[in-house]
């Protein structure tokens, strides 16, 4: 147990520390996490022999449910409304067309059985939200004609269709009796009903119930995400469709503490992405990938240059989309973790893949039987490396970059709740503002009194003529300071043995890299200068670079 926990902690730490470097690479940073998994795997220097497909599938599905929930939670329905019909068709009919074309290619060109070819096509037909988000955000790609909104919605919502096709074909191939129309109806109807229903119930609970525990609303939201995925699955519905719709409903609802929820899910989804890609890298055996490399190259080339472009053209052209938009939407169809997780489902279900594939004009030798997980893994790596790295340059070449737009508008703007902070000022009996109207008090333009608490519980909604009385508690609203990567504002408690204790400000080292903007000493707030002495027990508010020493 200790070894596993130690490895997990080290991997997460390395992933976080390497993320800044990875974000500057010309390929999606998610590849770094796969690389770490490969280094720790059976063919890597750490040489961990890990081949538990069932455990990996469970862990990855758990991570994927949070990623999909937060993808829906972040989807800005208002911004995406103009392209919503296109996105929905691309995530449903487009996935079906892509799967069918890949299936036909695998059958007629590579010699696979029809059902096996369609299964391969279904597993890799969806695009990966995490991969697309990663490229769009890191490259700050704001695209013309609502293309970024289209890609956000489509990549976040097309996994349910791909998963449904995978489940149907897997069930048929393992020899189970199946009523396809009934199964499709169950998947869609139950997924839709429970996704929207649980989302609505969760909204009502968050709006009307008083959660007595700290961050209770956020914890409840985590529970809602899990239930919205698991409950439909128990009832043979599409859990991925349900959890995405639940997230979308709640993300666009007026619920309290949304900023804290978003921050928590930012952390959860980041950890989930790291864990998923690391586990996939750990599970794969690199020396075995050469067996499926010819097949993977053929499938990747077809889906990238034929299958996805045809499906995008068929879906988007009737809406009047330009060829540049169609081409970019085609290229932005990155494969990712979802496809590999669906491949894990096929493996754990016991579907046997054929061996040597042969036609009259083409022969591909693969291991007997080939592992669909290995095949899809190689396709995903090729997609991330080739499509992901070339996407920004292609967008520029197609003149699809909108220089005045902001790609973050395609996400729900939770910053709306966080760009104001509340500040309180107690008016003591000697305060110079007593007896003055609010309009006569010199106040910065961006600072406004929103409430006055008077004589205990009396609430006064202020106006310009409201006169300030002794004992008033003035509640101001002011823009929140947002820390930047190269600048931080932090609090440092000066203890008895702190190296600053007893020193004047001008005696402190490294003053060029930091500024003590205020000292809190008991109930007194001090704006210091070079002759101010720091005393033990002071709370220092320090502005400077992240490298400021706190001890």
């Amino acid at each position: 147990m200790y070894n596993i926990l130690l490895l997990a902690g080290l991997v997460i730490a390395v992933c976080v520390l390497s993320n800044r470097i990875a974000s500057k690479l010309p390929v999606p940073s998610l590849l770094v996490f796969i690389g770490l998994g490969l280094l720790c795997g059976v063919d890597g220097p750490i040489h961990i022999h890990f081949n538990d497909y069932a455990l990996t599938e469970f862990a990855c599905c758990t991570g994927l449910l949070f990623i999909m929930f937060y993808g829906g939670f972040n989807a800005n329905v208002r911004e995406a409304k103009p392209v919503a019909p296109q996105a929905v068709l691309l995530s449903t009919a487009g996935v079906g067309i892509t799967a069918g074309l890949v299936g036909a290619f695998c059958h007629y060109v590579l010699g696979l059985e029809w059902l096996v070819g369609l299964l391969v096509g279904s597993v890799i037909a969806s695009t990966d939200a995490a991969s697309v988000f990663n490229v769009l955000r890191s490259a700050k790609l704001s695209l013309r004609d609502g293309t970024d909104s289209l890609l956000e919605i489509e990549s976040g919502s097309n996994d349910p269709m791909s998963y449904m096709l995978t489940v149907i074909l897997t069930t048929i191939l393992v020899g189970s009796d199946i009523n396809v129309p009934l199964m499709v109806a169950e998947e869609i109807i139950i997924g839709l009903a429970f996704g929207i229903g649980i989302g609505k119930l969760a909204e009502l609970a968050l709006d009307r119930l008083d959660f007595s525990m700290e961050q209770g609303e956020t914890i409840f939201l985590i529970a809602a995400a899990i239930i919205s995925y698991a409950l439909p699955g128990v009832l043979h519905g599409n859990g991925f469709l349900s959890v995405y719709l639940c997230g979308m409903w709640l993300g666009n609802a007026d619920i309290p503490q949304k900023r804290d929820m978003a921050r928590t899910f930012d952390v959860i989804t980041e950890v989930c992405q790291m864990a998923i890609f690391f586990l996939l890298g750990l599970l794969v055996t690199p020396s075995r990938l050469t067996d499926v490399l010819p097949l993977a190259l053929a499938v990747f080339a077809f889906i990238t240059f034929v299958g996805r472009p045809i499906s995008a053209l068929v879906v988007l052209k009737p809406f009047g989309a330009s060829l540049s938009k169609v081409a970019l939407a085609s290229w932005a169809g990155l494969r990712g973790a979802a496809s590999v997780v669906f491949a894990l489902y096929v493996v754990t279900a016991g579907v046997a893949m054929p061996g040597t594939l042969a036609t009259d004009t083409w022969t591909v030798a693969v291991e007997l039987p080939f592992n669909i997980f290995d095949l899809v893994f190689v396709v995903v790596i090729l997609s991330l490396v080739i499509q992901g790295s070339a996407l920004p340059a292609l967008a520029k070449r197609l003149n699809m970059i909108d220089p005045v737009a902001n790609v973050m508008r395609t996400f729900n703007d939770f910053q709306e709740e966080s760009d104001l902070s509340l500040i309180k000022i107690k008016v003591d009996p000697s305060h110079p503002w007593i007896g003055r109207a609010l309009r006569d008090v010199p106040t910065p333009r961006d600072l406004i009194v929103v409430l006055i608490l008077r004589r205990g519980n009396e609430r006064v909604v202020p106006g310009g003529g409201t006169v300030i009385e002794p004992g008033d508690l003035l509640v101001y609203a002011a823009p929140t300071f947002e820390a930047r990567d190269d600048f931080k504002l932090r609090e440092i408690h000066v203890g008895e043995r702190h190296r600053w204790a007893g020193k004047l400000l001008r005696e402190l080292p490294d003053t060029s890299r930091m500024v003590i903007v205020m000292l809190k000493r008991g109930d007194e707030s001090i704006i210091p200068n070079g002759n101010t002495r720091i005393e033990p027990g002071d709370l220092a508010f320090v502005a400077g670079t992240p490298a400021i020493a706190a001890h």
Side-chain angles (χ1 to χ4, degrees), residues 77 87 107 159 182 185 218 245 258 277 292 414 416 442 458 463 507:
V77 173
H107 176 68
D159 290 336
L182 178 61
T218 303
L245 290 175
K258 193 179 287 188
F277 281 92
V292 296
F414 305 120
E416 290 177 356
E458 182 182 351
E507 298 174 344

Side-chain angles (χ1 to χ4, degrees), residues 457-518:
N457 294 326
E458 182 182 351
R459 296 170 175 84
V460 178
V461 179
T466 303
V467 176
I468 300 173
E469 298 181 3
D472 280 354
L473 183 67
L474 307 182
V475 181
Y476 281 85
T480 300
F481 173 79
E482 293 293 337
R484 306 193 301 264
D485 289 340
D486 58 346
F487 187 84
K488 301 294 181 183
L489 185 63
R490 66 188 69 191
E491 302 174 8
I492 296 177
H493 181 264
V494 180
E496 291 284 347
R497 299 183 179 180
H498 197 283
R499 63 187 180 91
W500 293 352
K503 291 186 177 181
L504 300 177
L505 254 65
R506 64 170 181 266
E507 298 174 344
L508 300 184
D510 301 326
T511 53
S512 62
R513 302 182 61 190
M514 67 174 188
V515 177
I516 297 180
V517 296
M518 189 178 76

